[in-house]
Amino acid sequence: MGGSQQKGKAAIAAGGLVVEILHSGDLLSWIKAEDLHVSVVKPKDDQTLDQLVSREWTYVIDLKTMKVVWKGFGSYDGSKPSSVEEGLTQLMTLLGK
Amino acid sequence: MTARTLRGVSLTLMLAVGLAACGSDDSSGGAAGGSGGIAQTGGTSAGGTAAGGAATGGAGGAIDAGSDGPVDFGPYPAGPYGNAVGDTLANLAWEGYVNLDAAASSDTLPYIDYSSNDMRKSGKSYGLIHIALQG
């Protein structure tokens, strides 16, 4: 999440939820390395990746209806900004910030 | 009625009056206050003790504070599910560190089960999900 850390905290402070799903790797070492203050989870089964495609995808969800209201993809090689940056901007807009 | 029976009845009535008093002390009303009111109708003894009233009053207040009950979010939205804009997200199961207020680093929080249904039941309006790769 890197530089999005502050935006993630701001989105939570604004009343949103931010969930990072780790595609692969160790949750604790990632949290400590990035000093993450958002929810950090890993899938309990294959359904998450079946539904959410792959890493680098970001989804903004209307939690009243559970409908996807925005989705975006960054890049696998880091050549484009992470989609979480734009997703957090979308989330803040929906939260009226 | 024997003296022992009378003494027992008297103690019961004193307790009832004490409960009634504590119910009326608690302006938040609710279930415990209501019970006190019922007990009061049977109370003919002059002496609910202050100590009894105070002790049970505290408990009644605590119960009444939750009398609104949990919000009923209903069942998870039905499918079909998908991941396109406008689609309904499936109920996905996760586990890890859930950070709802960003106050502390997530590694200091308990490791728990979590799901998209838990996000729905948070009472928040919008949430973001990002699939990440450590690195």
Side-chain angles (χ1 to χ4, degrees), chain B residues 23-74:
Chain B
S24 61
D25 285 344
D26 184 354
S27 60
S28 62
S35 298
I38 292 168
Q40 193 172 25
T41 61
T44 54
S45 167
T49 64
T56 52
I63 293 169
D64 289 346
S67 61
D68 288 342
V71 176
D72 181 7
F73 290 95

Side-chain angles (χ1 to χ4, degrees), chain B residues 106-120:
Chain B
S106 301
D107 64 304
T108 63
L109 302 172
Y111 190 93
I112 61 173
D113 286 341
Y114 198 53
S115 68
S116 47
N117 194 33
D118 290 326
M119 292 180 72
R120 184 178 73 96

Side-chain angles (χ1 to χ4, degrees), chain A residues 1-35:
Chain A
M1 198 167 184
S4 304
Q5 164 69 317
Q6 291 304 318
K7 288 181 75 172
K9 290 171 70 172
I12 292 173
L17 285 183
V18 178
V19 178
E20 287 279 353
I21 301 175
L22 194 58
H23 180 276
S24 63
D26 179 66
L27 294 186
L28 272 178
S29 63
W30 187 43
I31 291 169
K32 289 177 178 175
E34 302 284 348
D35 188 28

Side-chain angles (χ1 to χ4, degrees), chain A residues 23 48-49 52-59 73 76, chain B residues 131-132:
Chain A
H23 180 276
T48 291
L49 287 180
L52 303 182
V53 185
S54 72
R55 68 182 175 93
E56 306 311 326
W57 279 97
T58 298
Y59 301 84
F73 176 73
Y76 290 129
Chain B
I131 314 297

Side-chain angles (χ1 to χ4, degrees), chain B residues 64-126:
Chain B
D64 289 346
S67 61
D68 288 342
V71 176
D72 181 7
F73 290 95
Y76 196 86
Y81 301 118
N83 62 30
V85 172
D87 286 352
T88 302
L89 182 72
N91 186 11
L92 306 173
W94 311 310
E95 59 188 349
Y97 304 92
V98 177
N99 199 332
L100 299 178
D101 59 12
S105 181
S106 301
D107 64 304
T108 63
L109 302 172
Y111 190 93
I112 61 173
D113 286 341
Y114 198 53
S115 68
S116 47
N117 194 33
D118 290 326
M119 292 180 72
R120 184 178 73 96
K121 292 179 177 179
S122 69
K124 310 279 188 180
S125 298
Y126 293 96

